[in-house]
Amino acid sequence: MQPAIVCGRLAVLAGFRRGFYEALTARRDELFELADAVLCTDGAVKTLVELALAPEHQRGHGALYDGINHGGLDIGRLRRAVGDAPLPRAADGRLVLAVDVSPWLRPDANTSPDRCFCHTYGRGRDEHRMIPGWPYSFVAALEFGPTSWTAILDAIRLPPGADVVAITAEQLREVVQRLLAAGHWTAGDPEILIVMDAGYDAPRIAFLLADLPVQILGRLRGDRVFRRPAPPYVYNLKGGRPPKHGGEFVFGDPATWNTPNVSTTTDNTHYGAATAQAWDRLHPILTHRAAWADFPGDLPVIEGTVIRLQVDHLPSGGDPKPVWLWWSRVDATAEDVDRAWMAFLRRFDIEHTFRLLKQTLGWTAPRLRDPAAADRWTWIAIAAHTQLRLARPLASDLRRPWEKPLDPERLTPARVRRGFRNLRAKIPSPVRAPKPSRPGPGRPPGSSNRKRATVHDVGRVLATGEAYARPEHHKKGTKPRRKG
């Protein structure tokens, strides 16, 4: 690599580190060194206090806990610094964003407020559980091609009883506005594509973000029922209002599908022949209930394209089931359909980022009590991940003897982290030298804690304030809502 290019990329990394330091408002030296310890320590971060033993952490373990619990962080300023950094793009130059929720499980933290029941997977064979914790909503920019890299742009903690769709829509609006302000999208560029899983109401999010240059792509349950456009109005002597909806499109009943508007077949390395069928201008029927209860006037008709993806086989060898997608645009071409389902498959890259945050960077390792401290530590982990992404083209492959060599552009985040200590030595640090001090006397021997911590119940209420009750069609052994 040419020296000028190396210096330019080092300048980008140094600029972000300087912006990160300026976003710290209290205990900034400690919090900045804590992020460096996360990046430079050997192995995975298992406990918070062990970071005090890293050479990059020049202060004691008391300062470490004091920085996490009482430090200051201007999250808005750090959000802008993350958004100003270079972002990955798809093959056509389009920004592709993924939104998903990852929980910080805290089942035994009875003294921690604002916990709610988090839906977890993989706790047993086909077993899903609701475990108390702090759910965080992440937004990340996806990269084109098979990779485990993403660019985390935002993270917020979801409070108990929150309207997840409304909060997610507002979070996406703020992220897109920051991207527009940073110049990542200008007039004439392809619209930003936002992909999400089945836990989100994609049509409602598309309606809430209709004024932004975005497209929404979300997965749908296999028992949904959509409607076609209303037929042309024919005058009737008996009167009556014109129809608002057309015939039914039942996902579980092929007899209601008719001929698709677009049908494509693509050979895929992992899934074999992937057949995608698309039906244009389908919409769900909305009612004045739940999220639409207070909507003024007539409910809107949110049209989009329904895509059914069927593959030959799965890499795991299981039985492949069809995947239903809803795209917020109409009049889709074959190229649009292929780009949509391929972008949805890239959504799973964010799962690699969650595993890196939890298993390597130690995002959920600390046993913190205060939710504000959890938010502070979450953004320190995001700042560390962003530095790894910016250091990616500069890192050397310090592989283990049993690992295969990789090209510089194919290095994983864990391998980039191994060489970050060498890159850190080439960048000036804004941290001031620590002052000599002595540890405090602590609690007198033999005394007990006279101030008991408050015990908080786990919140499990809906956005309407009603108590949560599991729907009948979600219970094991029940039949789907519609089969035709």
Side-chain angles (χ1 to χ4, degrees):
M1 188 180 299
Q2 298 180 1
I5 299 178
V6 174
C7 293
R9 292 177 176 177
L10 280 175
V12 173
L13 177 58
F16 175 80
R17 287 170 59 86
R18 184 166 55 253
F20 172 45
Y21 183 78
E22 294 173 353
L24 302 172
T25 58
R27 276 82 170 180
R28 54 169 49 179
D29 294 331
E30 165 57 36
L31 293 179
F32 192 86
E33 286 188 352
L34 184 59
D36 279 353
V38 171
L39 290 168
C40 299
T41 189
D42 296 330
V45 177
K46 298 297 184 180
T47 60
L48 188 64
V49 69
E50 288 183 352
L51 295 176
L53 302 179
E56 290 74 17
H57 192 275
Q58 305 179 66
R59 290 156 175 82
H61 63 277
L64 183 148
Y65 283 108
D66 185 62
I68 286 293
N69 293 320
H70 305 289
L73 175 60
D74 188 348
I75 296 180
R77 190 166 184 173
L78 184 54
R79 281 190 175 110
R80 291 190 293 272
V82 171
D84 291 341
L87 297 180
R89 295 178 180 269
D92 60 348
R94 183 190 307 267
L95 281 173
V96 181
L97 308 182
V99 56
D100 203 355
V101 175
S102 183
W104 183 340
L105 300 181
R106 300 287 284 135
D108 301 328
N110 296 329
T111 58
S112 295
D114 296 341
R115 292 183 306 155
C116 58
F117 284 97
C118 305
H119 192 195
T120 59
Y121 301 88
R123 294 282 165 174
R125 182 176 179 84
D126 298 332
E127 184 180 3
H128 300 169
R129 292 185 181 181
M130 304 295 288
I131 300 179
W134 292 314
Y136 279 82
S137 175
F138 286 84
V139 178
L142 303 181
E143 188 172 320
F144 180 76
T147 179
S148 59
W149 286 95
T150 64
I152 304 178
L153 299 177
D154 193 46
I156 58 173
R157 179 171 43 85
L158 302 175
D163 187 348
V164 177
V165 174
I167 292 180
T168 302
E170 186 61 27
Q171 180 187 22
L172 291 172
R173 176 178 295 277
E174 294 178 357
V175 169
V176 172
Q177 290 175 347
R178 288 198 297 270
L179 295 179
L180 298 181
H184 291 293
W185 187 92
T186 56
D189 293 343
E191 290 184 322
I192 301 173
L193 181 62
I194 301 176
V195 295
M196 56 192 62
D197 208 356
Y200 296 92
D201 188 351
R204 183 184 170 199
I205 293 180
F207 177 77
L208 296 175
L209 302 179
D211 58 322
L212 296 177
V214 299
Q215 301 176 5
I216 306 299
L217 177 67
R219 186 164 70 94
L220 301 174
R221 291 172 56 93
D223 55 1
R224 295 291 299 272
V225 178
F226 272 52
R227 289 296 188 96
R228 291 185 168 85
Y233 176 69
V234 178
Y235 178 75
N236 191 346
L237 294 176
K238 296 182 180 180
R241 62 189 301 178
K244 189 175 182 181
H245 311 285
E248 287 187 341
F249 185 94
V250 184
F251 289 10
D253 186 8
T256 64
W257 297 352
N258 297 337
T259 304
N261 299 94
V262 177
S263 181
T264 65
T265 301
T266 306
D267 292 331
N268 188 276
T269 305
H270 300 286
Y271 304 99
T275 302
Q277 298 172 304
W279 291 267
D280 195 25
R281 299 185 181 276
L282 299 183
H283 64 272
I285 294 182
L286 307 179
T287 57
H288 282 93
R289 293 182 298 179
W292 301 96
D294 299 329
F295 189 83
D298 295 336
L299 292 173
V301 175
I302 309 174
E303 291 186 334
T305 302
V306 172
I307 303 172
R308 181 182 184 268
L309 176 65
Q310 181 69 58
V311 299
D312 282 345
H313 56 81
L314 298 176
S316 60
D319 184 21
K321 297 181 179 180
V323 176
W324 292 91
L325 305 174
W326 185 86
W327 184 46
S328 62
R329 292 296 182 264
V330 295
D331 300 328
T333 63
E335 183 182 1
D336 295 332
V337 173
D338 287 339
R339 181 174 60 248
W341 70 261
M342 290 180 182
F344 177 78
L345 294 183
R346 293 267 61 83
R347 189 203 69 84
F348 296 97
D349 294 342
I350 198 173
E351 303 294 341
H352 297 286
T353 301
F354 292 155
R355 184 166 64 248
L356 176 75
L357 290 177
K358 294 180 178 181
Q359 298 182 4
T360 303
L361 301 184
W363 170 44
T364 58
R367 298 181 179 180
L368 304 177
R369 175 185 297 178
D370 187 9
D375 296 343
R376 198 173 299 118
W377 172 248
T378 299
W379 275 99
I380 290 177
I382 293 175
H385 182 268
T386 304
Q387 294 181 61
L388 286 179
R389 181 170 60 85
L390 298 179
R392 176 184 177 186
L394 300 169
S396 302
D397 186 12
L398 304 180
R399 65 183 182 92
R400 302 290 189 257
W402 53 86
E403 293 176 341
K404 295 181 180 180
L406 294 176
D407 295 333
E409 63 273 7
R410 297 295 304 275
L411 291 181
T412 62
R415 290 204 186 185
V416 173
R417 180 170 173 259
R418 292 176 188 171
F420 191 85
R421 177 173 290 168
N422 299 332
L423 293 176
R424 179 181 176 273
K426 303 176 182 179
I427 304 174
S429 176
V431 177
R432 297 168 295 183
K435 299 179 180 179
S437 62
R438 295 182 179 180
R443 186 185 303 164
S447 63
S448 60
N449 186 7
R450 300 179 182 178
K451 186 177 180 180
R452 296 281 183 176
T454 305
V455 177
H456 300 273
D457 295 331
V458 182
R460 197 177 190 185
V461 294
L462 302 177
T464 57
E466 302 174 357
Y468 171 82
R470 189 177 185 184
E472 292 294 332
H473 60 274
H474 286 184
K475 296 181 180 178
K476 188 176 182 180
T478 57
K479 298 181 179 180
R481 288 178 289 182
R482 289 293 296 270
K483 275 293 186 181

